[in-house]
Amino acid sequence: MRYLDKEAIEHIAIGAAFLGTGGGGDPYIGKMMALSAIEKNGPVKLYSVDEIEDDDFFIPAAMMGAPSVLVEKFPRGDEFVKVFQKLAKYIGKEKITGTFPMEAGGVNSMIPIVVAAQLDIPLIDCDGMGRAFPELQMVTFNLDGISATPMAITDEKGNIGIFETINNKWTERIARSATVEMGASSLISLYPTTGAQIKKSGVHHIITLSEKIGEIIASKNRNVKEKLHELLQLVSGYELFQGKIVDVIRETKGGFNLGKMNLEGMEVNKNENMKVHFQNENLIAEKNDQVVAMTPDLICLVDYETLLPVTTESLKYGKRIRVIGLPANEKWRTDKGIETVGPNYFGYDYDYAPIEELVKKVVAEHV
Amino acid sequence: MYKIGIDVGGTNTDAIILDEHSNLVHSVKSPTSVDIKTGIETALRNLLQESNIDKTKITHAMLGTTQCTNAIVERKKLAKVGVIRLGYPATASVLPYTAWPKDMIEKLSGNYALVHGGYEYDGQLLGELDEGEIQSLLEDWREKVDSIAIVGVFSSIKNDQEIRVRSLIQEVYGEEFPISCSSLIGSVGLIERENATILNAALCKVIETTTTGFVHALEGEEIYNAKVYLCQNDGTLMSIDYAKQFPILTIACGPTNSIRGASYLAKIKDTMVLDVGGTTSDIGVLQDGFPRESSVAVEVGDIRTNFRMPDIISVGLGGGSIVRENNGKITVGPDSVGFKIAEEALVFGGNTLTTTDIAVRLGLANVGDSSLVAHIDEEFAKEAQLEISSLIEQAIDKMKISSEDVQLVLVGGGTIIVPDTLRGVSDIVKFENGTVANAIGASIAQISGQYEQIYIYSKEPREMSLKDAQEKAVKQAVLAGALAETIELVEVEETPLAYHPENATRLKVKVVGKMG
């Protein structure tokens, strides 16, 4: 057990936005909510997964909706607790031991911190993705057959709903349409789980990892090369490309941001190019028309100079960035994992291959 | 017919005259004074006396000023601001002034209120405005605030409530009371827009003194008929009345004017510009004669905002940068002898080795007494020169958007230190009048208008939405003093909203026109 203070939150926000692979919401607003909450209620306890009991009971907390709405209409502050308690009451649990994030991302790493601070319950060092994904069934708990419902959903106006669905794909569909009605942003509590389930199905130590990533990126008085080297060591990642955004093509379909960006190489990648395809999150990276990374492996864009994560909303012509790729959690690399979040699910005609092999292959052909 | 351009920098106040064909008639430099006004008066007086033009033929006068930037950075001359945020109960989790520096909150009084109101992303009502609530708030704030910032949730989609609250304030506090509406200042992103609006409201006193000072300086020189403008940071102008409403738009207009002035002198609309000063150099990119806009949230005086700023890189390299040798490694800058170069550089009889001395030693420049640097080892000088080149080359590379070599236009007082050839640069263009490029930039500026809103293309097709946004931007430009028939569209930016089933897109357009 340890306490998360202001500085830890600053670092987690940066690191989680990095793991959010372009999605997961604006790190600034999320951080502001969490900082305001601990300023009011004091620091938050963080438990590691091996510190919890098998029959303890946990409820995650998250936001659903359009990140671009969230930066304009953010929560009043007490609805996280309301929706959390509503679900606890519905399930009939006397005691909720703690909470944890559903995904890594600028906003969804922070919401559980707000809940933990306001209810004075601990946060657990795990999540259900190890990155960010756009849909509610794209969670490691789902791979092990854990139901997303009963779930509770609310908005800042005070509307509350409880859903019980026949499967997790339906949870996504129904919650999505309710979210749009609520003004394109909602607060949800779902995937209520036991300690034993967390130990088996969660992605462990993700908050600590986010914090370490954020610490490296935020460290002052060090050059980019040193920071980058340390970052890649920590996440077993690869620097795939250094370049400038020369084109961003976007469209909105089925309630998602689809698009691709073209990068023109600079420095070591002079005269090369890269395309990154995204649907809220970055999903496919092609260097000189060869795939070098694909979902569920992580494709993270960072600022060329500061290494601060760049979200899909802030992609802009002329921005100088580095593209970093890292292997996904092993749970995603199973057959069921690939079926749930692999390239085919998102409509790309590729067979999944791990980033380690793709990077090697490109290097070998290059030589 | 003449135009006058004045640029008040941190060190110097520059003033220039252009004739009706925009040729440079005369230019002067004089030190910037503490009260600004005296410096402007001196520069103007010298300019008119030395050039001896017919004052009655001056039709336009333009001022570029760092006053507002300095006020924020130095926390001086700021007004007490009351913040009214429309949207309660939404947004209560992050209150106004969160993450602001404490000294700044104290200066601005820290008064805020969250009241009912606001819109949803599609323009539906989030909350009804409660006028009684506003009235009693205004009673409470009487004498406590000098200026009010109004910020409505999704006011960039629909700003009726903000405008209504503005009328309510005018009814209670009078027509003249300074009010800033966020929908007219920043884009989507409530916190950043609110911050920019608060800063704008806090600048109402500074802009008043600056504009009055400028007008008085002109009247003092018997210039009565000129149209008076202030420079904005996107290379365009605004009328005095508009500037009083939007003082924040003057922030960072200095570097913008320099690179625009350079492009004008070079007669090149798409180029990279390097403005070399005494301590730092600015690099900017011109696209179609206007500076590229920065794509990151900009901090002004440690406060995060989202109003537009030019994309400019500053490098710690100038004509006065100090050259050193440590353990066989040569370093250049970032510290500099600055404006004391005329006393401290070797060629001027001083004791500090600067980049200017290196340029003179290698015969690239002819200033001061070259015999005073003859003792410097040539190999050493060449290595120092390589270091200077490499600093510039790295910065140029960062600003490039393609791997091809670029053309570079050089301006500023420190250009002599820049070598004739640089990696990644196809050709270098230098100027005689490059040292007053900023004042020239101020006098050739055009007038712009911007508009931004979220449109739902399934309800309002893209063509219609574009047309609507363009009309609203044109209105803004005309309000700022542009001739309607000269206005053209220069920028369109579309951002679709994620997780939104109806194809909602944030559309931002910008138009520019000639001054009337």
Side-chain angles (χ1 to χ4, degrees), chain B residues 96-119:
Chain B
Y97 292 117
T98 299
W100 277 52
K102 283 211 168 33
D103 59 341
M104 192 73 178
I105 301 175
E106 282 164 21
K107 276 275 183 308
L108 271 51
S109 83
N111 279 301
Y112 69 83
L114 267 55
V115 300
H116 292 90
Y119 292 97

Side-chain angles (χ1 to χ4, degrees), chain B residues 5-16 27-44 46-47 62-67 214 435-436 438-439:
Chain B
I6 294 179
D7 184 278
V8 184
T11 318
N12 287 311
T13 297
D14 300 337
I16 61 142
S27 69
V28 296
K29 257 185 195 296
S30 65
T32 297
S33 64
V34 178
D35 70 342
I36 306 302
K37 191 167 146 271
T38 322
I40 295 178
E41 285 167 355
T42 312
L44 201 53
N46 296 347
L47 181 75
M62 280 63 103
L63 176 71
T65 174
T66 56
Q67 286 308 290
F214 186 40
T435 53
V436 288
N438 46 11

